[in-house]
Structure formats: C-alpha cells, structure tokens
Amino acid sequence: MPKPSNLMVTYALLVFIWSTTPLAIVWSVEDLHPMWALAIRFFLALPLALGLLWLFKTKLPLDRVSLHSYLAGAFSFIGSQIFTYWSTEYLSSGIIALMFGLSPLIAGLIGRFVFQMHLSLNQWLGMAIALTGLSIICLGDANQHVQPVGIIIALTGVLVYCMSMYWVKKINAPIDPMAQAAGSIALSVIFSIGMLPFIWQYAPTAMPHAKSLFGLVYAVIMASLIAMFCYFKLVQKIKPTTLSLTNVLTPMLALMIGAVLNNEKLPLIALVGVVILLSGLVVYFLKEIRASLQARQDI
C-alpha cells in the first residue's frame, strides 16, 4: 500500500500539471487546428507510453477486464479532450480550468442520481453558490474570451471526464497505473485515426512556431503521460469525490498562470463570478477541508 506521503506528492504533482495544461493546450492550437493538435498529442504520447512500459518492465494486460478499463480511461483522454480542445476557440485557459474545477460538483450529482450516494446540505448549498457564479461568468464580455457556448462545450467535456472516473473506479481492474494510462492512450490513438478523415482538410502544412510546439510537447509528456499516471494511481487508491478535490486548487492556479504567461484578463463581472464559483467549491468541500486541517494538526 502506498505511503500517505507518496500519495500527497502524487496529488500535488497532479494539481500542478492540471493547472498548467489548459495554457499548454491554448498555446498548442495557435498554429494547429484543435482536433489535429489533439490527434498529434496522442500519436506522440503512445510510443513514449509504450517505451516507459518496456523500460520499467511493466506488463500491458490484454484480457477482457483490462480492455474494458482502457476503454473507460480513454473517455478521460479522447472523449473529454475533444470538447476541451474545441472550447479553446471560445474560452481562455483560466476559464477552461475553472470549468474543470466544477468536476467535483458534477461527480457528486452523478453519485447522487446514478449511484444513490448521499449529499449533505453544505454540498447542495455549494452547488447552488457555484451555479450562481457560473451564471455570472456567462455574462462576461465575449471579446474577453468568455463565451457561453464555450462554457457549454467545456462543461460537456467535464461531464465525460467525471463519467470516465466513475467508470474506471467501478471496473476496478487490477492494472498498474502506467499500464492503464498506456492502454487508454492506445485506444485514444485508434479513435484519433478514425477522426482524421473528417479533419484532413485542416492538416498542418508548415512547422508550428516554438510556443505552439512547446504547448504540444508539454501536453504530450506532462498531461498525457505523467498526469495520467498520477490520475490512474489516485483513482485506484482514493474516492472519486476526493480525487475531484484537486480541481479546487487548479482553477485558482490556472487563472494566475494564464494572467502572467498569456496576458489573459477577465472582465470585472466575470471575475466576480469566478470568486463566487470558487466560494461554492469551498462550501461543497467544507467537510473534507476541515478533516484535512484536523489531520495536519494531529500529525
């Protein structure tokens, strides 16, 4: 069983990568069509993932349960990311991260209405506050890259991501996290190949600029490999709602990173909505936050 300190490091690394990945995605599509950037990301990630399996002598199980788990995991890759890349046409990197910050709420709703899990009063209150904040964000200036259609697209990606998280957890296949990530990437590549005929007309005709290449490489190595290894490791060891808690910190960090590195600015009304939405997340996770603070005091 992993040591708590190892899980904490994995958790922190995942928060950092997910905070910076939206900006990497936005940069990668500056010179590439979004769907081509997504397909190339998986084409590059697969040989690296298989190489890591060979390097660490990790087997890639191909039994029925394992393949089912790879399919479920692929929904977090190709399924969710199709909508994420699409939303870059309408949203800034910080707002995209903010939409994924709502995944704890969506995961909670799935747990409540699909798996009959209990939601406390503060969780319902947190959802209401966050929804209010989201509504205010939708009133933001479209010229500032905050468009309602983009929010809908991004939230669809979040929904697919949350469904995948529960799906992987339900299968509970005894697979090494690295093998799970590699298998899910392999299936994502197959789906990407099937997507190529529909986007062939947008195929890149020149080498992207340095910033776009950096974003693509970062998404391949950090988001597709390291983050997914951390993600699947945590999926196997902690509750889905606890894993979603990573997204409470992610939006705040992503908004700061986008402002500093990409000069992303939010209109005042959208900024007010962000504060309200994040407050809703804090209320939603009030019990977990108190438990975490208590655990630190007891150490």
Side-chain angles (χ1 to χ4, degrees):
M1 184 175 180
K3 295 181 179 179
S5 58
N6 290 339
L7 288 178
M8 288 178 62
V9 171
T10 303
Y11 208 87
L13 181 59
L14 189 62
V15 169
F16 172 77
I17 295 175
W18 278 352
S19 298
T20 51
T21 296
L23 180 58
I25 292 175
V26 168
W27 281 358
S28 70
V29 301
E30 285 191 358
D31 298 325
L32 294 170
H33 185 275
M35 296 303 109
W36 268 103
L38 178 61
I40 293 172
R41 170 179 168 179
F42 290 125
F43 292 154
L44 294 177
L46 182 58
L48 292 176
L50 295 178
L52 288 175
L53 289 181
W54 175 81
L55 181 64
F56 291 101
K57 297 180 173 59
T58 302
K59 293 183 179 181
L60 183 68
L62 297 176
D63 57 276
R64 186 175 179 179
V65 175
S66 297
L67 291 175
H68 189 189
S69 187
Y70 300 153
L71 177 63
F75 267 65
S76 277
F77 282 106
I78 189 71
S80 173
Q81 292 303 306
I82 281 178
F83 295 100
T84 302
Y85 276 73
W86 184 9
S87 69
T88 59
E89 300 180 17
Y90 308 97
L91 303 175
S92 66
S93 67
I95 295 297
I96 291 174
L98 188 66
M99 294 305 99
F100 271 86
L102 291 171
S103 62
L105 282 64
I106 296 177
L109 288 174
I110 293 175
R112 172 64 182 86
F113 293 106
V114 178
F115 300 102
Q116 286 72 54
M117 293 172 57
H118 172 72
L119 291 179
S120 63
L121 179 60
N122 69 281
Q123 288 177 309
W124 286 113
L125 178 60
M127 287 183 184
I129 295 173
L131 183 60
T132 301
L134 180 61
S135 301
I136 294 174
I137 292 171
C138 288
L139 299 176
D141 186 358
N143 294 327
Q144 293 287 345
H145 224 46
V146 181
Q147 300 184 32
V149 63
I151 290 176
I152 294 173
I153 293 170
L155 285 177
T156 303
V158 177
L159 175 62
V160 174
Y161 158 75
C162 292
M163 292 172 62
S164 169
M165 184 167 54
Y166 274 105
W167 193 0
V168 171
K169 190 72 174 180
K170 184 176 181 180
I171 296 170
N172 198 27
I175 307 173
D176 184 274
M178 193 176 297
Q180 172 70 66
S184 297
I185 290 173
L187 287 184
S188 297
V189 167
I190 294 175
F191 284 116
S192 297
I193 292 173
M195 183 174 65
L196 291 185
F198 301 98
I199 61 172
W200 194 258
Q201 59 182 317
Y202 305 111
T205 57
M207 180 67 70
H209 292 117
K211 185 163 67 171
S212 187
L213 283 175
F214 175 81
L216 182 61
V217 172
Y218 187 92
V220 169
I221 297 176
M222 300 300 289
S224 295
L225 293 177
I226 297 178
M228 285 302 103
F229 168 76
C230 296
Y231 166 73
F232 287 121
K233 180 179 179 180
L234 292 172
V235 162
Q236 294 175 351
K237 303 300 179 183
I238 63 178
K239 297 178 181 179
T241 50
T242 304
L243 177 57
S244 294
L245 187 56
T246 57
N247 294 294
V248 175
L249 293 175
T250 295
M252 293 183 285
L253 293 174
L255 286 166
M256 290 188 292
I257 291 170
V260 173
L261 298 182
N262 206 43
N263 196 31
E264 295 178 356
K265 298 179 181 179
L266 292 177
L268 180 59
I269 188 170
L271 190 58
V272 171
V274 168
V275 173
I276 294 175
L277 190 152
L278 291 175
S279 299
L281 288 176
V282 172
V283 172
Y284 182 89
F285 278 110
L286 196 57
K287 182 178 179 181
E288 286 81 358
I289 293 172
R290 286 174 176 171
S292 178
L293 292 175
Q294 184 62 43
R296 290 187 179 182
Q297 291 177 359
D298 294 339
I299 295 176

